Amino acid sequence: MERNVNIDTKMNEFRLASRELFNHFFRIADPYVNNGWSLEERFTAVQAILFDKLVTEPASLPKTRYGLRQAEIVVTLRNSESVPIMINREVDSGYWDFPIREVSVEAGMSFVCFFDWDQLDYRDNRYVRVQIERWASNPETIGKHALIESHYVRFVKAGDTKLG
């Protein structure tokens, strides 16, 4: 356990490390012709370990499998009262067309994973996939997954007094 861990820094280090690891060592030239899905499965296993070693352990967070809701990692807006968001039509389906297009600081969100539209081609981990935990003015969104561009958010350990 490291002292004074900045979870925002750790999450962004993981975002970059995960992206670079995939793009340089797990992505192949033509992933749709060769064994791209096999490499994706292998990368997913490595990514879970990387998350544990770069984020979970240093921040003394409960071990939760990467890709599932991380209740102890709160996602907040970095410098705005509201930012663009794509909310899942259902709770967790492949459609990101729920009619609300902006999220406000009022919403409470937990981290799920970083997201790219194409799992087999170059990744930039541009989006943060979150689960909406609370949003008083839009209660119909509670429990839904959503996507927010990573530069709009910061990550805070749940219960941190600096929570914004």
Side-chain angles (χ1 to χ4, degrees):
M1 176 178 77
E2 298 175 22
R3 295 178 56 94
N4 301 321
V5 171
N6 181 325
I7 192 80
D8 190 55
T9 298
K10 289 295 183 190
M11 290 293 290
N12 281 295
E13 288 172 354
F14 169 76
R15 183 178 69 83
L16 296 175
S18 171
R19 173 184 79 188
E20 295 305 307
L21 188 62
F22 178 82
N23 290 340
H24 293 290
F25 302 103
F26 286 88
R27 186 194 169 277
I28 56 176
D30 196 349
Y32 295 100
V33 174
N34 296 311
N35 63 343
W37 286 110
S38 172
L39 285 172
E40 159 60 20
E41 288 175 18
R42 289 175 32 210
F43 173 73
T44 298
V46 171
Q47 186 179 38
I49 294 168
L50 187 66
F51 186 77
D52 285 342
K53 299 303 178 186
L54 290 181
V55 178
T56 304
E57 289 177 12
S60 299
L61 296 172
K63 190 170 184 172
T64 302
R65 191 179 65 152
Y66 182 75
L68 297 179
R69 175 181 163 261
Q70 305 282 331
E72 295 297 313
I73 302 175
V74 176
V75 179
T76 64
L77 305 188
R78 189 172 290 281
N79 294 315
S80 301
E81 290 296 313
S82 65
V83 299
I85 192 170
M86 290 177 273
I87 301 173
N88 211 277
R89 181 188 305 172
E90 302 300 325
V91 171
D92 179 17
S93 71
Y95 299 97
W96 304 95
D97 58 358
F98 195 78
I100 297 172
R101 302 280 185 235
E102 282 194 341
V103 63
S104 67
V105 294
E106 167 193 22
M109 301 173 286
S110 295
F111 176 77
V112 175
C113 64
F114 289 99
F115 178 88
D116 276 287
W117 295 110
D118 191 337
Q119 290 181 277
L120 299 183
D121 211 345
Y122 286 104
R123 293 187 182 184
D124 62 5
N125 287 343
R126 178 178 177 182
Y127 296 96
V128 177
R129 187 171 183 159
V130 300
Q131 181 171 317
I132 300 169
E133 304 294 339
R134 65 185 182 291
W135 195 358
S137 62
N138 293 289
E140 70 279 15
T141 65
I142 294 172
K144 290 181 180 286
H145 285 205
L147 302 174
I148 305 172
E149 289 188 44
S150 60
H151 64 94
Y152 288 129
V153 304
R154 68 183 175 99
F155 304 95
V156 181
K157 193 172 178 178
D160 191 327
T161 57
K162 296 178 222 158
L163 186 62

